[in-house]
Amino acid sequence: MYEGAVQDLIDELGQLPGVGPKSAQRIAFHLLDAPSEDVLRLAEVLRTVKEKARFCSVCFNVSQEDRCRVCRDPRRDDTVICVVEESKDVIAVERTREFRGLYHVLGGAISPIDGRGPSDLHIRELLTRLADGTVSEIILATDPNTEGEATATYLSRLLKDMGLRISRLASGLPVGGDLEYADEVTLGRAFAGRRYLDSPANLTAPA
Amino acid sequence: MYEGAVQDLIDELGQLPGVGPKSAQRIAFHLLDAPSEDVLRLAEVLRTVKEKARFCSVCFNVSQEDRCRVCRDPRRDDTVICVVEESKDVIAVERTREFRGLYHVLGGAISPIDGRGPSDLHIRELLTRLADGTVSEIILATDPNTEGEATATYLSRLLKDMGLRISRLASGLPVGGDLEYADEVTLGRAFAGRRYLDSPANLTAPA
């Protein structure tokens, strides 16, 4: 509908996830009105990111160097690996400040519908990392959905005879949530995983 | 939280209208996974748009040349001007295929809260266009909100002694809408502007 470059921009923006035709138009006009240097900076960052961003050769987290910030940090506990699906999940876990070990980014989850099997994930590289015996604990932090659960189950079976402590993140009611609005599966998990208040904080109820 | 270029990209994307931190992260990871040529094309379009896109010297619509596509088209009726706030509104009116005249893009609406008065809009240029007497009709198509109405009122007073036919777009129930969900102002307007079914289609009820 628009002439030349403006329409090209709207078309390109419309291809981004979560950006519909109306938002694309809105962003395009925002950029038209914005100072040239702001728009050129965005263009430059887009170029730079494709040049510089890569994946960590150890854990497959996004990185600017061969090894990511976490893998380079000598203060991290290299006996624990938290297995996640995506780099985004690394940031989410880092934000909790609960975990001081290393990560392993699988690059997705097992999903037969999308044609993604174990061989499409960085599972072989995880086994290689475990080979030298440094790691003694694995935390399976895949998403609490069908694909994430399937991946966690697959990995726990794969790793079960390697003498590692293997755990899965707790499922239950989200903090600040409302019991009456919890879905039945989550509420069921919250029951199954309930903690007895007179026992030490880390002990959970028997399954 | 992320390293270097990835975080820069998320920050830049987060500045776009309607893109929050979560969407910015989602778009950034989409771009990281996307083929290089797609991302470079977006970067290129961003550069091009700031170089090439300009505003029509006659009507202030976005354009790639000195005069926009509508102003260049000899088949358009140059006796009618539809006055709109933004270039986006030109596209919206064009989509109806109801209008074959020319446009005048004000570049906004009168809004004392935002410190925007009549002198900040392209009103002087509109008067210049009217000077040679070619234009005989003006359609005020500013938004049906406070600022748009104020602008339409201002313009209708400014132009009223120039011997032009001046009209304002009809307000009323949106087609496909539900009467019970219409707000009271819209429904009130729909009553005030009701059409008698046995009178010619264009006649509206007396106010």
Side-chain angles (χ1 to χ4, degrees), chain B residues 69-86:
Chain B
R69 201 158 49 183
V70 176
C71 289
R72 286 199 308 269
D73 187 343
R75 291 165 304 175
R76 307 290 301 216
D77 177 0
D78 62 357
T79 66
V80 194
I81 288 181
C82 175
V83 178
V84 294
E85 294 181 20
E86 311 279 358

Side-chain angles (χ1 to χ4, degrees), chain A residues 37-62:
Chain A
E37 58 266 29
D38 288 8
V39 180
L40 295 181
R41 199 170 57 239
L42 174 57
E44 193 47 44
V45 164
L46 285 166
R47 275 177 205 283
T48 320
V49 89
K50 288 311 270 190
E51 264 169 40
K52 293 208 185 152
R54 56 174 84 181
F55 294 97
C56 173
S57 64
V58 177
C59 75
F60 300 96
N61 188 10
V62 280

Side-chain angles (χ1 to χ4, degrees), chain A residues 18 23 50 54 65 82 87 89 94 97 106 113 118 120 128 133 153 170 179 183:
Chain A
S23 319
K50 288 311 270 190
R54 56 174 84 181
E65 301 180 28
C82 175
S87 291
D89 303 326
E94 284 293 281
R97 300 172 185 277
L106 294 173
I113 288 174
D120 300 310
T128 311
T153 306
L179 195 136
D183 64 285

Side-chain angles (χ1 to χ4, degrees), chain A residues 1 12 34 41 50 69, chain B residues 1 12 34 41 50 69:
Chain A
M1 292 297 281
E12 289 293 331
R41 199 170 57 239
K50 288 311 270 190
R69 200 157 50 183
Chain B
M1 293 296 282
E12 289 294 331
R41 200 171 56 237
K50 289 310 272 190
R69 201 158 49 183

Side-chain angles (χ1 to χ4, degrees), chain A residues 9-198:
Chain A
L9 179 59
I10 294 175
D11 291 345
E12 289 293 331
L13 291 170
Q15 313 249 325
L16 300 176
V19 180
K22 286 272 169 191
S23 319
Q25 180 178 286
R26 191 166 154 222
I27 295 173
F29 276 94
H30 167 86
L31 293 170
L32 274 178
D33 289 338
S36 250
E37 58 266 29
D38 288 8
V39 180
L40 295 181
R41 199 170 57 239
L42 174 57
E44 193 47 44
V45 164
L46 285 166
R47 275 177 205 283
T48 320
V49 89
K50 288 311 270 190
E51 264 169 40
K52 293 208 185 152
R54 56 174 84 181
F55 294 97
C56 173
S57 64
V58 177
C59 75
F60 300 96
N61 188 10
V62 280
S63 174
Q64 194 116 284
E65 301 180 28
D66 178 57
R67 291 172 67 209
C68 77
R69 200 157 50 183
V70 176
C71 288
R72 286 199 308 268
D73 187 344
R75 291 165 303 176
R76 307 290 300 217
D77 177 0
D78 61 358
T79 66
V80 194
I81 289 181
C82 175
V83 178
V84 295
E85 293 181 21
E86 310 278 359
S87 291
K88 289 176 253 198
D89 303 326
V90 171
I91 300 294
V93 176
E94 284 293 281
R95 227 177 258 138
T96 67
R97 300 172 185 277
E98 288 280 336
F99 181 68
R100 296 297 303 161
L102 302 176
Y103 292 94
H104 193 83
V105 180
L106 294 173
I110 295 171
S111 170
I113 288 174
D114 303 320
R116 214 178 313 113
S119 60
D120 300 310
L121 307 177
H122 300 301
I123 291 178
R124 199 176 315 119
E125 292 87 345
L126 175 63
L127 296 178
T128 311
R129 288 179 75 181
L130 300 176
D132 71 356
T134 313
V135 176
S136 59
E137 183 171 358
I138 296 279
I139 299 169
L140 298 172
T142 50
D143 289 344
N145 54 25
T146 319
E147 291 84 12
E149 294 288 1
T151 310
T153 306
Y154 177 87
L155 285 174
S156 66
R157 282 185 196 157
L158 190 70
L159 306 173
K160 81 170 183 307
D161 296 327
M162 296 179 69
L164 300 159
R165 285 184 73 195
I166 301 177
S167 59
R168 176 93 180 100
L169 290 189
S171 277
L173 298 173
V175 177
D178 228 336
L179 195 136
E180 68 182 294
Y181 296 127
D183 64 285
E184 60 272 28
V185 182
T186 302
L187 193 51
R189 292 276 182 92
F191 265 89
R194 71 193 178 278
R195 292 169 173 209
Y196 289 107
L197 294 181
D198 53 355

